[in-house]
């Protein structure tokens, strides 16, 4: 297993209230999770993708940075593995007084529940990249908190949560979110 041992993992959990038309964690009540240093900093994007395929919970779909516009997904939860660099991100909407603005770096994993607004605030070192993955069989969409997206937002409550952890399989933080 390429991931660092679960027993050494430090996890941050955040419940983020809705703001304007960004539902954040209010619909399913699953928190935003950050697995700090889940992968060694020496892990390449290809090795991370191989590990994710082996665990089989999510399918890697892209390698890119994070958009600088707040957006969320209504059709899927998202797993982001930082594969290069260090950045300050915003979760919950930049105008939300209860947003979360963590600094993440290579090796960190972010589990973003459907509905949680997110964006890049600052690429601290240059070259910030992530492996973006989604539950196997799910396709992601882009929502921006607009009035015409209300029906999509309502559909979030129907999404199934993970029954296995995307990084650790049968055990792991995503299984202990209540």
């Amino acid at each position: 297993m390429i991931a660092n041992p679960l027993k050494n993992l430090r996890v941050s959990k955040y419940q983020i209230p809705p703001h304007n038309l960004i539902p954040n964690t209010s619909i399913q009540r699953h928190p935003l999770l950050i697995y700090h240093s889940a992968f060694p900093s020496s892990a390449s994007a290809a090795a991370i993708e191989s590990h994710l395929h082996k665990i089989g919970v999510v399918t890697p779909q892209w390698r890119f940075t994070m958009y600088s516009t707040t957006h969320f997904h209504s059709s899927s939860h998202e797993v982001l593995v930082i594969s290069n660099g260090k950045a300050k991100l915003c979760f919950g909407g930049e105008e939300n007084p209860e947003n979360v603005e963590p600094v993440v770096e290579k090796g960190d994993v972010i589990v973003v529940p459907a509905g949680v607004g997110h964006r890049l605030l600052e690429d601290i070192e240059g070259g910030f990249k992530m492996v973006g993955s989604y539950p196997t069989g799910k396709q992601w969409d882009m929502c921006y908190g607009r009035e015409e997206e209300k029906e999509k937002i309502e559909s979030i409550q129907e999404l199934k949560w993970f029954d296995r952890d995307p990084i650790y399989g049968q055990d792991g933080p995503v299984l202990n979110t209540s």
Side-chain angles (χ1 to χ4, degrees):
M1 178 181 276
I2 185 179
N4 286 322
L6 181 57
K7 66 181 171 125
N8 298 337
L9 187 66
R10 184 173 67 87
V11 179
S12 297
K13 295 181 181 185
Y14 303 97
Q15 290 288 351
I16 307 170
H19 185 73
N20 296 329
L21 290 176
I22 301 172
N24 293 314
T25 61
S26 68
I27 295 177
Q28 289 194 343
R29 303 299 303 156
H30 294 293
L32 172 75
L33 298 168
I34 301 175
Y35 299 13
H36 302 277
S37 300
F39 289 94
S41 60
S42 60
S44 67
I48 291 166
E49 290 170 345
S50 177
H51 176 82
L52 295 172
H53 281 296
K54 182 178 165 193
I55 298 296
V57 174
V58 295
T59 302
Q61 295 188 14
W62 52 263
R63 295 180 191 176
F64 198 62
T65 188
M66 184 179 283
Y67 292 121
S68 58
T69 300
T70 296
H71 65 283
F72 63 92
H73 310 291
S74 70
S75 59
S76 181
H77 307 297
E78 183 174 40
V79 176
L80 304 171
V81 182
I82 314 311
S83 58
N84 193 62
K86 184 178 196 176
K88 184 175 184 179
L89 307 177
C90 178
F91 294 94
E94 57 268 39
E95 295 176 13
N96 183 346
E98 295 183 66
N99 73 10
V100 176
E101 295 184 359
V103 172
V104 295
E105 59 192 341
K106 187 174 183 179
D108 291 348
V109 174
I110 309 165
V111 178
V112 185
V116 174
H118 50 287
R119 69 164 285 206
L120 175 71
L121 289 176
E122 179 186 3
D123 182 344
I124 295 170
E125 298 177 340
F128 178 71
K129 293 257 186 315
M130 305 176 297
V131 173
S133 302
Y134 304 86
T136 301
K138 290 290 184 185
Q139 294 299 314
W140 52 278
D141 63 355
M142 294 288 284
C143 297
Y144 303 94
R146 297 182 182 137
E147 196 69 35
E148 62 270 18
E149 297 167 342
K150 282 186 173 183
E151 193 172 300
K152 286 182 171 186
I153 292 168
E154 290 171 9
S155 71
I156 293 171
Q157 65 189 344
E158 304 302 320
L159 288 177
K160 182 180 172 211
W161 187 243
F162 300 93
D163 55 8
R164 293 176 57 235
D165 191 273
I167 308 304
Y168 294 99
Q170 296 301 335
D171 200 6
V174 84
L175 303 173
N176 304 308
T177 61
S178 49

